[in-house]
Amino acid sequence: MGGNPTSGTSLFVAGLLIGVVGMVMIYSASAIITRQKVGSDNPYYFITRQFVWLVAGSAVMVTLMRLDAARLRDRRIIYAVVAAVLTALVIALFQSPINGTHRWIVLSHFQLQPSEFAKPALILFLASYLARKEERINELTSTLLPLAFVVALFAGLILLEPDFGTATTLVLVAAGMIFAAGVSWMRVVTFALMIIPAGVLLVFSAAYRRDRLFTFMNPEADPLGKGFQAMQSLIALGTGGLRGLGIGNGRQKLFFLPEPHTDFIFSIIGEELGFIGAFALIGLFAFLVWRGFRVTRFSQNRFDFYAALGFTLLIGIQALINVSVALCLLPTKGLPLPLVSYGGSSLITSLIAVGVLLNLSQQSG
């Protein structure tokens, strides 16, 4: 069990480069809109806060990277983390709403978003569960129903916030891990026949979700209203051309594109760094995901296999959805771009994923 230092180094470098791009673009996208967003004249407001989270998240990442792998597999620790996150999700529902949602727990100087921490908690739980149950993965009552209950509990609490995008991400990651465990195609078809109608029902049960879907199908129909975000995102990407307008020279962040430092930061990257810069960032994500799958492939035990797979899928799926939304290939969703978008909880969760992958890369053959 000699480990793979090259894999670990390249993982770290790829994550570091993506994080650096994120810091630069957050400053570029947020410096001018600080007064509008938080009423502050300090152009360094967002970048300063993100740097603090980056330092904290990096400390967590290094701790996880150096942690004895046996601690990661300890079921008592995993269950404690799951219980803490579920409790936090419930507490968030009783907090005062922010922008009409109950996604945050407000503390004295910062806010925590429990749904972000639900991602690594559920992945570790699934890795432990599947490693023990994979020989009986197709048994309905003893394996699949308890598994479905836990996933539904996490997703259901997050849907109540409401946060359809994060709940969907969790379900997709869980589905990928369960599929890798060898679940039969009959079970896959049965699951699809259940989850697809449920997803459609959820989409049409809320007016704002219906609007997003219909707007996605034809954003040009209301370019100054419901289609505004999608159209401004496309304008930003189109304006960037091949080489971009240069860092700091983008125009769509000047109160045209909503949330340019969070949900639509990829659009600003496309505008200021052009097709070359945007493609290079996608290449970094692809490299990070590829390295994650290599860690998965060469894992020495089943828990490591499922944990590496889950965290790799988490980064890959979130990046794919965020970029697809910016390119108007998916309806507008408030999912952050991992390691890039502004947001402390999201950044720490992404660094947790990288830290666990770095740890597991040392265990792989």
Side-chain angles (χ1 to χ4, degrees):
M1 202 179 296
N4 193 338
T6 304
S7 176
T9 301
S10 56
L11 263 171
F12 178 80
V13 171
L16 177 65
L17 288 174
I18 295 171
V20 168
V21 171
M23 294 295 288
V24 171
M25 297 312 301
I26 285 171
Y27 174 70
S28 176
S30 67
I32 297 176
I33 62 169
T34 305
R35 170 169 281 280
Q36 179 205 40
K37 294 293 183 182
V38 295
S40 171
D41 289 323
N42 179 12
Y44 303 103
Y45 177 86
F46 287 109
I47 191 66
T48 302
R49 293 172 69 87
Q50 188 76 350
F51 181 75
V52 172
W53 286 113
L54 178 63
V55 172
S58 297
V60 174
M61 180 188 72
V62 172
T63 300
L64 287 171
M65 180 176 67
R66 297 183 178 278
L67 190 68
D68 182 356
R71 302 293 292 276
L72 282 176
R73 305 183 193 108
D74 191 325
R75 285 161 60 185
R76 293 169 298 179
I77 294 176
I78 292 172
Y79 291 156
V81 170
V82 167
V85 170
L86 287 173
T87 302
L89 286 171
V90 173
I91 291 173
L93 295 176
F94 293 94
Q95 297 281 297
S96 299
I98 299 175
N99 297 326
T101 63
H102 300 269
R103 299 179 185 178
W104 292 272
I105 295 177
V106 181
L107 302 172
S108 57
H109 296 291
F110 59 92
Q111 302 167 352
L112 286 178
Q113 192 172 355
S115 58
E116 285 293 330
F117 298 102
K119 298 169 184 175
L122 182 60
I123 288 171
L124 290 174
F125 170 80
L126 290 174
S128 177
Y129 188 90
L130 292 171
R132 289 180 286 113
K133 296 276 193 173
E134 66 178 359
E135 297 298 326
R136 293 175 290 166
I137 188 62
N138 287 300
E139 293 183 9
L140 187 63
T141 54
S142 65
T143 303
L144 288 176
L145 285 180
L147 197 58
F149 172 78
V150 174
V151 175
L153 181 60
F154 272 94
L157 287 171
I158 293 171
L159 281 171
L160 289 174
E161 295 181 349
D163 189 347
F164 186 76
T166 299
T168 300
T169 301
L170 274 181
V171 171
L172 288 174
V173 171
M177 295 174 69
I178 295 168
F179 181 77
V183 69
S184 70
W185 280 104
M186 183 60 68
R187 299 291 192 201
V188 172
V189 172
T190 303
F191 171 77
L193 291 175
M194 293 171 58
I195 200 70
I196 292 175
V200 172
L201 184 64
L202 278 171
V203 168
F204 283 91
S205 66
Y208 76 93
R209 293 192 195 117
R210 291 197 302 271
D211 289 343
R212 283 178 175 178
L213 179 61
F214 293 137
T215 299
F216 161 69
M217 297 170 68
N218 187 17
E220 297 90 349
D222 189 10
L224 298 179
K226 296 173 182 176
F228 186 76
Q229 286 180 315
M231 295 304 296
Q232 295 303 314
S233 178
L234 288 178
I235 289 171
L237 290 163
T239 304
L242 184 64
R243 297 183 179 179
L245 302 178
I247 295 175
N249 295 328
R251 295 187 287 267
Q252 292 307 110
K253 65 192 178 188
L254 304 178
F255 314 107
F256 292 104
L257 186 62
E259 309 303 332
H261 58 310
T262 55
D263 302 343
F264 285 94
I265 196 165
F266 184 79
S267 306
I268 303 302
I269 291 171
E271 184 183 24
E272 298 192 352
L273 302 182
F275 174 82
I276 294 174
F279 187 79
L281 180 62
I282 292 174
L284 282 173
F285 273 112
F287 181 80
L288 185 63
V289 169
W290 173 63
R291 278 298 180 182
F293 282 135
R294 279 187 60 85
V295 175
T296 305
R297 178 184 175 188
F298 294 108
S299 296
Q300 296 293 310
N301 63 71
R302 300 311 289 168
F303 174 89
D304 291 10
F305 172 85
Y306 290 115
L309 175 65
F311 284 109
T312 302
L313 287 175
L314 178 63
I315 293 172
I317 289 173
Q318 285 192 133
L320 181 63
I321 291 176
N322 181 279
V323 171
S324 297
V325 167
L327 294 171
C328 294
L329 299 175
L330 286 176
T332 302
K333 282 308 308 164
L335 277 180
L337 186 59
L339 299 168
V340 178
S341 293
Y342 173 79
S345 297
S346 169
L347 179 60
I348 288 181
T349 299
S350 298
L351 290 169
I352 287 173
V354 175
V356 173
L357 285 173
L358 286 169
N359 185 304
L360 298 178
S361 72
Q362 299 171 52
Q363 316 300 321
S364 62

